[in-house]
Amino acid sequence: MPELPEVEVIRRGLAPHLEGRHILGLSFGEHRLREQGEPAELLRAAGQRVVELSRRGKYLLARLEQGHTLLMHLGMSGRLLVFHEPAPELPHVHIVVHLEGGLALVFQDIRRFGNFVLHPPGVTPPAVAQLGPEPFDRKVTAAWLARLTQGRRRPLKNFLLDGRMVAGIGNIYACEALFAARLHPATAVGDLTVTEWGRLLRAIRKVLQAAIARGGTTISDFLDGSGNTGLFQLDLTVYGREGEPCRKCGTAVERLVQAGRSSFYCPRCQAQV
DNA sequence: CACCCCACCTGCGTGC
DNA sequence: TGCACGCAGGTGGGGT
């Protein structure tokens, strides 16, 4: 579910509730997430104050006062919701973080692809260490992208989804950015000119910014920390619109499967080179 | 090394 | 109504 914009929207909503507050304790549901620390390990967070809530790619990192990092990832269906204690009984709740001031942070995840792991002081979580730069990082330029992909034949869409290259872009925003940049998802990365990389980079940044400003994309289940849906689904140009007319030229939007994921594109606006 | 496939889960919509 | 199937916003391990 959540890509960079959704995670950033969640971060902004949660930060004022978490930062500066002590974690009183944690409780756990009966099922575990795909990647979840042992209770004894996670309970080391109890008694510590949250210093800062930050984001890298699609990961949320809560830095604790003794230097631990609580790493959270929402997978496909995860939610982080803040309630006043007692938090309501909800299905698929796997972790509840009890906070100072009578607040509870609830991790709900139907599909359980999420992560919730406490890393000791001085350690960058490996999953975060291997991420590429943020799309808004100044080191990411058209020339940098061209150099990175020189001589490679990988499809552009698959490249955008690879967080080790540039972090945080998921299936929705990869499709939307490719449409905005008028590039076909199957184009080999090594074939793009520096000009085209520049166009794509601007499109990526514009789409991500717009989605954050709209509170993210809610297709079936995304909610921010206060339980609100996003609105960017109203602005989607191609994602999920197979067979519907392109908003620019009216041609039917097509769907193509790449690396097991659906790519939506306009065959006319994004003509294969 | 570069890249792809698939597992990991649950739920929902569709078509028979 | 029921059932089988395909599909879903992500990630990483293992295979080619």
Side-chain angles (χ1 to χ4, degrees), chain A residues 6 26 37 49-50 56 70 75 84 93 113 154 168-169 201 233 253 255 268:
Chain A
E6 287 74 29
L26 295 93
R49 198 166 49 88
V50 179
R56 264 294 271 136
L70 186 55
H84 289 286
V93 168
F113 292 168
R154 191 175 192 189
I169 304 168
L201 182 56
Q233 64 279 9
V253 169
R255 186 174 79 100
R268 181 152 165 217

Side-chain angles (χ1 to χ4, degrees), chain A residues 242-261:
Chain A
E242 184 182 13
E244 294 174 45
C246 168
R247 299 202 193 282
K248 222 185 271 176
C249 77
T251 305
V253 169
E254 291 184 5
R255 186 174 79 100
L256 156 80
V257 176
Q258 296 178 280
R261 324 275 316 266

Side-chain angles (χ1 to χ4, degrees), chain A residues 57-128:
Chain A
K58 299 164 192 162
Y59 290 89
L60 282 171
L61 298 92
R63 189 160 54 85
L64 307 185
E65 63 184 338
Q66 287 169 30
H68 296 78
T69 302
L70 186 55
L71 182 74
M72 295 171 279
H73 191 290
L74 300 172
M76 294 276 265
S77 54
R79 288 173 178 166
L80 279 168
L81 300 163
V82 175
F83 293 104
H84 289 286
E85 299 269 22
E89 290 284 320
L90 300 172
H92 307 294
V93 168
H94 306 110
I95 297 143
V96 180
V97 182
H98 304 281
L99 296 160
E100 178 184 9
L103 293 184
L105 176 67
V106 170
F107 194 123
Q108 182 189 39
D109 186 357
I110 294 176
R111 293 176 72 182
R112 283 189 271 137
F113 292 168
N115 297 188
F116 195 97
V117 179
L118 187 68
H119 292 272
V123 179
T124 303
V128 167

Side-chain angles (χ1 to χ4, degrees), chain A residues 196-213:
Chain A
E196 288 171 322
W197 279 118
R199 210 163 76 214
L200 180 56
L201 182 56
R202 282 192 300 279
I204 290 168
R205 289 174 170 164
K206 192 175 158 192
V207 166
L208 295 177
Q209 293 278 29
I212 292 170

Side-chain angles (χ1 to χ4, degrees), chain A residues 89-257:
Chain A
E89 290 284 320
L90 300 172
H92 307 294
V93 168
H94 306 110
I95 297 143
V96 180
V97 182
H98 304 281
L99 296 160
E100 178 184 9
L103 293 184
L105 176 67
V106 170
F107 194 123
Q108 182 189 39
D109 186 357
I110 294 176
R111 293 176 72 182
R112 283 189 271 137
F113 292 168
N115 297 188
F116 195 97
V117 179
L118 187 68
H119 292 272
V123 179
T124 303
V128 167
Q130 63 173 13
L131 290 176
E134 292 288 310
F136 297 104
D137 192 319
R138 285 179 47 212
K139 79 178 278 194
V140 180
T141 62
W144 181 85
L145 288 162
R147 217 176 313 127
L148 181 66
T149 54
Q150 195 172 27
R152 300 205 203 170
R153 306 303 303 162
R154 191 175 192 189
L156 187 49
K157 167 71 177 338
N158 299 10
F159 169 82
L160 292 180
L161 290 184
D162 188 343
R164 295 166 305 183
M165 304 293 121
V166 177
I169 304 168
N171 208 28
I172 295 178
Y173 301 110
C175 292
E176 293 298 308
L178 287 169
F179 175 79
R182 307 187 309 279
L183 292 167
H184 192 286
T187 312
V189 284
D191 289 348
L192 260 70
T193 63
V194 174
T195 305
E196 288 171 322
W197 279 118
R199 210 163 76 214
L200 180 56
L201 182 56
R202 282 192 300 279
I204 290 168
R205 289 174 170 164
K206 192 175 158 192
V207 166
L208 295 177
Q209 293 278 29
I212 292 170
R214 288 283 242 160
T217 300
T218 299
I219 288 175
S220 61
D221 49 23
F222 167 69
L223 296 178
D224 70 15
S226 305
N228 303 306
T229 68
L231 289 172
F232 195 73
Q233 64 279 9
L234 303 173
D235 296 340
L236 294 176
T237 54
V238 285
Y239 184 84
R241 299 191 63 244
E242 184 182 13
E244 294 174 45
C246 168
R247 299 202 193 282
K248 222 185 271 176
C249 77
T251 305
V253 169
E254 291 184 5
R255 186 174 79 100
L256 156 80
V257 176

